[in-house]
C-alpha cells in the first residue's frame, strides 16, 4: 500500500500531446463514400437489373427445384469427396508402394485436367464405357448394364464433382495429418493405443484444426462449381437461369438472381464453417475467451 | 517361494542390446538389470544413446541385436524353438500398457482437458468403466498436486503442471515400470522442483523407475543406482553417491567435472 501511495505522490501528470493527423484516411473515406453512393445509385436506377422480373422468378418452382439440385450436388460431392479423400490420403502415406503409386496417379489425373472437361466426359460417359458389368476381370460377366441407363445425368454430375473433389481433399487431409506433432503418436503408442485408436482419437481430431478451414473453402467453391455441371447437362441453378432467359431474353436479371441465391447459400456455409473451426480449435491458444467475444459479436453485437 | 522367485526376477534385463540408425550405431551392446522397486538414473552427454535405450524398452525403437526383457517377457518378440517371431501390433500395444513413459516435451493431448488426458487410455485401451477411471484419475491429479486444474487444457498449464499431468496420465494405466526421458529438461528452472518432488514421491511408493536425467541432485538423493553412458555403451555404473563422488573412469570424471 505504501508503495502505491509513493507512486501516486511521485507520478508525473498524464501526457496530453497533440495527436498525429491523418488527412490520408479522410481522403480515402471520402473516395469510398462517393464510390459507394454511385454503386447504390447504379443498383437502384439501372433498368437492366429489372428487379421485378427477378422477383417474379426467384421463388418460382423451376428455380427452387434448381436450388435444391445445387444443394444436393454440393452435399453429395463434398461428403463423398471428403470420404474418398481420406482414403486417398491414407493410401499416399501407406508403406505399400503400389498404394502410394495408385493414389499418386489418381491425383495426377484429376488435378491435372480441368473440371469442366472432366464433366463433359461424364456427360458422354456412355461413349467411353458402353456397358458396366459384374464378373471376373478379363473373364466372363455375370450381369451387364448399359452405362447410359445406369448413370443418369444427376449421377454423372455428382460423380464428376465428387471424384475431382476427392483429389483435392486427399491433399488437404494429408497436410492435416502431417501437421500433427509426431510426439502425439508416440505418446499414444506408449499408452498402448493401437494405430487405429491413435488415428481416430488423437491424430485426426488435431488434424481437423488444419483440415476444416480449407475444407470450408472447398465447400464454398463446390457450391459455385456445381454451375459447371451445365456441361453434363444437369438442371442446377445456373443452367436453369439460362433456360429461363433463353425464353424471356432477360439475361442480366436471371444471372443476378442466380448470384443472389449463391450469395445466400455461401453465407450459410460461412457461418457453419465458423462454428466448426471454433469447435476443432478447442484447447489451442488459451481459454478461448477471445473466441467467445467474437461469437457474441456475430450473434448480433451482444444483448446489452 | 514363488514370491521370492518373483522378487528375484529383474524388472528390466538387457543383454548386449545394439541399435543403429542407418550407418550410425547408437547402442553398442548395453547390459544392465533393474530390480523391481529400483530407481535407476541414467546420465551421460547428449548423443550417448541413453534416450534411445529408454525408447527400446517399450519398443518405440526396434533393437537390432541382443535381448531385452521386461518382467521376464521379451520386448517386441516371441521366442519359439530357438527362433524369434515379431509380435503383432496388437501384442506390442499390450506390452506397452504395462510400461508408463514420460517424455521430455510432455506430449499431452492438446485437444483434451487434463482429466480427459488421464482418462483416455484406461477407458479406450483397457475398456475400464468410465466412472471408476474418473475416480482414479481425479485421485491421481490430486496426488500430483493438480486437483484444481482437472478441467484445464494443456495450453493453459505451465510446463511443470503439464509434466505432472503427463505423469498422472502414465500412472492411470497402473504400470509396473515407469520410464522418464529427461522429464525436466524442457522446463524453466523454477518449475523443475515440482516435477522432481512428484517423482520422488513415486519412488518412495515403490515404483520401479528408469530416469534419464541431467539432475544430479535427484540421482544422488532418489536413485538406487546410477548408470553413466557415453558413445552407446555403459561406461560406469554403481551406487549414485559412489559414482558421483568417486568416478573411476576418466570419461565419467570428465563428464561430471563439466556438469557438477
Amino acid at each position: 500500500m505504501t508503495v502505491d501511495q509513493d507512486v501516486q505522490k511521485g507520478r508525473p501528470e498524464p501526457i496530453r500531446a497533440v495527436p498525429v493527423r491523418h488527412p490520408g484516411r479522410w481522403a480515402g473515406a471520402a473516395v469510398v463514400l462517393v464510390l459507394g453512393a454511385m454503386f447504390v445509385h447504379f443498383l437502384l436506377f439501372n433498368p437492366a437489373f429489372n428487379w421485378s422480373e427477378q422477383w417474379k422468378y426467384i421463388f418460382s418452382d423451376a428455380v427452387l427445384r434448381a436450388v435444391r439440385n445445387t444443394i444436393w450436388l454440393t452435399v453429395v460431392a463434398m461428403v463423398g469427396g471428403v470420404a474418398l479423400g481420406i482414403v486417398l490420403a491414407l493410401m499416399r502415406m501407406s508403406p505399400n508402394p503400389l498404394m502410394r503409386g495408385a493414389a499418386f496417379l489418381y491425383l495426377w489425373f484429376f488435378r491435372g485436367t480441368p473440371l469442366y472437361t472432366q464433366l463433359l466426359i461424364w456427360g458422354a460417359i456412355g461413349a467411353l464405357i458402353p456397358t458396366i458389368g459384374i464378373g471376373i476381370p478379363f473373364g466372363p460377366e455375370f450381369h451387364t448394364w448399359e452405362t447410359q441407363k445406369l448413370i443418369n445425368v444427376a449421377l454423372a454430375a455428382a460423380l464428376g464433382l465428387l471424384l475431382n473433389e476427392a483429389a483435392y481433399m486427399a491433399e488437404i487431409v494429408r497436410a492435416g495429418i502431417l501437421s500433427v506433432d509426431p510426439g502425439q503418436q508416440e505418446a499414444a503408442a506408449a499408452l498402448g493405443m493401437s494405430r487405429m485408436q491413435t488415428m481416430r482419437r488423437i491424430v485426426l481430431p488435431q488434424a481437423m484444426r488444419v483440415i476444416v478451414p480449407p475444407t470450408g473453402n472447398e465447400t464454398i467453391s463446390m457450391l459455385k462449381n456445381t454451375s459447371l455441371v451445365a456441361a453434363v447437362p444437369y438442371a442446377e441453378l445456373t443452367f436453369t437461369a439460362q433456360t429461363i432467359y433463353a425464353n424471356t431474353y432477360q439475361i442480366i436479371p436471371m444471372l443476378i438472381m442466380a448470384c443472389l441465391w449463391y450469395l445466400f447459400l455461401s453465407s450459410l456455409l460461412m457461418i457453419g464453417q465458423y462454428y466448426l473451426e471454433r469447435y476443432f480449435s478447442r484447447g489451442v491458444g488459451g481459454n478461448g475467451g477471445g473466441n467467445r467475444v467474437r461469437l457474441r459479436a456475430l450473434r448480433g453485437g451482444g444483448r446489452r | 517361494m514363488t514370491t521370492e522367485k518373483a522378487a528375484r526376477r529383474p524388472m528390466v534385463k538387457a543383454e548386449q542390446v545394439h541399435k543403429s540408425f542407418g550407418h550410425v550405431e547408437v547402442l553398442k551392446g548395453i547390459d544392465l538389470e533393474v530390480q523391481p522397486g529400483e530407481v535407476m538414473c541414467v546420465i551421460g552427454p547428449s548423443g550417448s544413446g541413453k534416450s534411445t535405450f529408454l525408447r527400446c524398452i517399450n519398443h518405440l525403437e526396434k533393437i537390432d541385436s541382443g535381448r531385452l526383457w521386461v518382467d521376464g517377457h521379451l520386448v517386441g518378440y516371441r521366442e519359439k524353438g530357438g527362433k524369434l517371431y515379431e509380435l503383432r501390433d496388437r501384442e506390442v500395444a499390450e506390452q506397452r500398457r504395462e510400461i508408463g513413459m514420460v517424455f521430455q516435451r510432455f506430449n499431452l493431448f492438446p485437444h483434451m482437458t487434463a482429466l480427459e488426458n488421464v482418462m483416455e487410455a484406461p477407458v479406450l485401451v483397457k475398456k475400464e468403466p468410465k466412472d471408476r477411471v474418473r475416480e482414479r484419475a481425479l485421485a491421481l491429479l490430486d496426488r500430483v498436486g493438480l486437483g484444481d486444474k482437472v478441467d484445464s487444457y494443456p495450453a493453459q498449464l505451465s510446463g511443470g503442471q503439464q509434466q505432472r499431468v503427463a505423469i498422472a496420465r502414465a500412472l492411470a494405466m497402473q504400470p509396473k515400470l515407469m520410464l522418464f526421458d529427461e522429464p525436466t529438461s524442457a522446463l524453466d528452472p523454477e518449475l523443475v522442483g515440482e516435477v522432481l518432488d512428484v517423482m520422488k514421491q513415486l519412488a518412495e511408493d515403490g515404483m520401479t523407475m528408469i530416469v534419464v536425467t541431467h539432475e544430479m541432485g535427484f540421482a544422488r538423493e532418489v536413485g538406487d543406482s546410477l548408470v553413466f553412458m557415453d558413445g552407446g555403451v555403459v561406461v560406469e555404473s554403481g551406487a549414485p553417491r559412489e559414482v558421483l563422488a568417486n568416478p573411476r573412469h576418466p570419461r565419467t570424471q570428465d563428464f561430471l567435472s563439466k556438469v557438477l
Side-chain angles (χ1 to χ4, degrees):
Chain A
M1 245 208 284
T2 49
V3 179
D4 256 17
Q5 280 163 359
D6 286 349
V7 171
Q8 284 283 318
K9 228 183 278 170
R11 179 187 285 176
E13 64 181 76
I15 291 173
R16 281 194 201 84
V18 178
V20 175
R21 306 293 177 199
H22 296 285
R25 290 184 193 173
W26 287 102
V31 170
V32 167
L33 276 176
V34 169
L35 286 176
M38 284 168 70
F39 184 65
V40 170
H41 182 266
F42 169 71
L43 282 182
L44 291 179
F45 297 105
N46 188 331
F49 282 116
N50 199 349
W51 296 104
S52 61
E53 174 79 4
Q54 290 191 42
W55 182 249
K56 205 159 73 190
Y57 285 100
I58 194 162
F59 296 121
S60 68
D61 283 349
V63 171
L64 286 181
R65 219 177 306 123
V67 169
R68 209 189 54 205
N69 283 346
T70 292
I71 295 173
W72 173 88
L73 270 179
T74 308
V75 170
V76 168
M78 280 315 293
V79 171
V82 168
L84 185 56
I86 292 175
V87 172
L88 285 166
L90 294 177
M91 279 172 74
R92 277 208 76 179
M93 292 187 286
S94 157
N96 182 342
L98 267 180
M99 286 280 187
R100 281 202 307 270
F104 176 81
L105 274 180
Y106 184 98
L107 272 112
W108 173 75
F109 178 78
F110 281 96
R111 293 202 307 170
T113 54
L115 176 56
Y116 187 73
T117 315
Q118 289 174 29
L119 287 167
L120 285 171
I121 293 175
W122 279 103
I125 192 72
L128 180 67
I129 309 165
T131 60
I132 296 176
I134 297 181
I136 299 162
F138 306 108
E141 281 186 7
F142 305 134
H143 193 84
T144 309
W145 291 275
E146 250 182 84
T147 307
Q148 210 64 283
K149 280 183 190 153
L150 193 65
I151 300 179
N152 58 22
V153 280
L155 193 57
L159 274 175
L161 293 173
L162 186 160
L163 294 180
N164 181 73
E165 184 57 34
Y168 288 91
M169 281 311 303
E171 289 297 271
I172 291 173
V173 170
R174 194 170 71 103
I177 290 174
L178 289 178
S179 76
V180 178
D181 175 10
Q184 292 287 309
Q185 294 188 40
E186 272 186 2
L191 285 165
M193 291 188 203
S194 71
R195 222 168 277 186
M196 276 307 291
Q197 285 171 333
T198 305
M199 199 39 93
R200 189 166 53 83
R201 296 284 304 175
I202 308 301
V203 176
L204 276 181
Q206 293 181 60
M208 289 306 271
R209 203 164 56 81
V210 171
I211 293 173
V212 165
T215 306
N217 293 342
E218 287 292 308
T219 310
I220 291 167
S221 291
M222 178 58 75
L223 175 74
K224 295 172 295 175
N225 284 344
T226 54
S227 64
L228 294 177
V229 304
V232 170
Y234 181 63
E236 49 64 62
L237 192 49
T238 301
F239 185 78
T240 304
Q242 285 174 323
T243 323
I244 295 172
Y245 71 61
N247 290 321
T248 63
Y249 302 109
Q250 296 287 337
I251 298 173
I252 290 297
M254 287 305 98
L255 290 179
I256 297 292
M257 178 204 73
C259 284
L260 290 176
W261 268 114
Y262 284 122
L263 278 172
F264 171 70
L265 294 174
S266 54
S267 304
L268 289 184
L269 288 176
M270 284 176 201
I271 293 170
Q273 182 182 12
Y274 170 81
Y275 281 96
L276 267 179
E277 278 176 29
R278 202 173 62 106
Y279 175 77
F280 282 109
S281 63
R282 69 197 189 284
V284 176
N287 57 12
N291 274 344
R292 226 163 283 141
V293 172
R294 264 201 289 150
L295 173 67
R296 220 179 294 137
L298 195 88
R299 275 182 183 155
R303 257 154 251 146
R304 252 153 279 174
Chain B
M1 276 297 116
T2 45
T3 50
E4 214 175 283
K5 211 174 174 186
R8 249 187 269 131
R9 182 164 78 184
M11 182 58 82
V12 177
K13 186 170 182 215
E15 254 180 35
Q16 280 302 300
V17 169
H18 288 256
K19 169 74 189 170
S20 303
F21 292 113
H23 296 297
V24 185
E25 194 168 33
V26 184
L27 299 178
K28 299 173 183 166
I30 305 287
D31 292 288
L32 56 76
E33 272 187 24
V34 183
Q35 303 307 321
E38 182 179 337
V39 176
M40 175 183 278
C41 292
V42 183
I43 61 170
S46 58
S48 60
K50 52 197 195 311
S51 285
T52 304
F53 177 64
L54 202 67
R55 293 158 57 81
C56 289
I57 296 174
N58 66 356
H59 208 51
L60 283 179
E61 304 289 356
K62 244 187 217 175
I63 64 175
D64 298 328
S65 55
R67 295 284 187 277
L68 192 54
W69 292 268
V70 169
D71 203 19
H73 299 286
L74 211 51
V75 174
Y77 301 94
R78 191 188 307 107
E79 200 159 20
K80 224 165 106 186
K83 235 176 150 183
L84 279 186
Y85 296 87
E86 270 188 20
L87 292 185
R88 296 172 178 283
D89 288 350
R90 185 173 45 81
E91 295 164 316
V92 172
E94 263 164 41
Q95 285 190 335
R96 286 180 180 144
R97 288 178 206 177
E98 316 257 86
I99 307 168
M101 186 157 190
V102 175
F103 298 87
Q104 181 179 355
R105 306 220 33 98
F106 330 135
N107 292 350
L108 287 181
F109 306 133
H111 57 304
M112 298 180 187
T113 64
L115 182 63
E116 287 166 348
N117 262 282
V118 179
M119 288 177 62
E120 180 67 14
V123 173
L124 188 73
V125 177
K126 283 188 166 176
K127 314 282 182 222
E128 287 185 66
K130 242 185 177 166
D131 42 347
R132 217 175 63 203
V133 176
R134 173 186 297 272
E135 232 168 78
R136 195 166 77 224
L138 287 171
L140 278 170
L141 284 169
D142 208 43
R143 184 167 149 199
V144 299
L146 293 171
D148 54 336
K149 297 284 186 190
V150 293
D151 291 324
S152 302
Y153 283 100
Q156 296 166 293
L157 300 173
S158 73
Q161 290 170 332
Q162 287 189 54
Q163 195 59 297
R164 286 186 281 154
V165 174
I167 293 172
R169 177 176 72 174
L171 290 175
M173 290 295 280
Q174 300 175 308
K176 51 193 179 190
L177 167 68
M178 284 285 283
L179 308 175
F180 292 85
D181 188 4
E182 302 196 25
T184 57
S185 297
L187 296 177
D188 290 342
E190 79 271 23
L191 303 177
V192 168
E194 63 190 53
V195 172
L196 291 181
D197 284 346
V198 167
M199 290 168 60
K200 191 175 165 189
Q201 188 61 49
L202 198 57
E204 280 166 10
D205 292 346
M207 176 63 77
T208 313
M209 297 161 61
I210 303 181
V211 185
V212 170
T213 188
H214 294 296
E215 296 293 329
M216 300 304 155
F218 178 85
R220 186 185 299 120
E221 241 183 88
V222 184
D224 297 311
S225 55
L226 183 71
V227 167
F228 172 69
M229 277 178 72
D230 192 13
V233 293
V234 173
V235 175
E236 189 167 349
S237 64
R241 280 169 204 283
E242 188 54 32
V243 176
L244 291 173
N246 306 306
R248 284 188 307 259
H249 200 283
R251 274 198 280 176
T252 321
Q253 290 164 1
D254 182 49
F255 176 73
L256 288 177
S257 71
K258 282 173 188 156
V259 296
L260 284 181

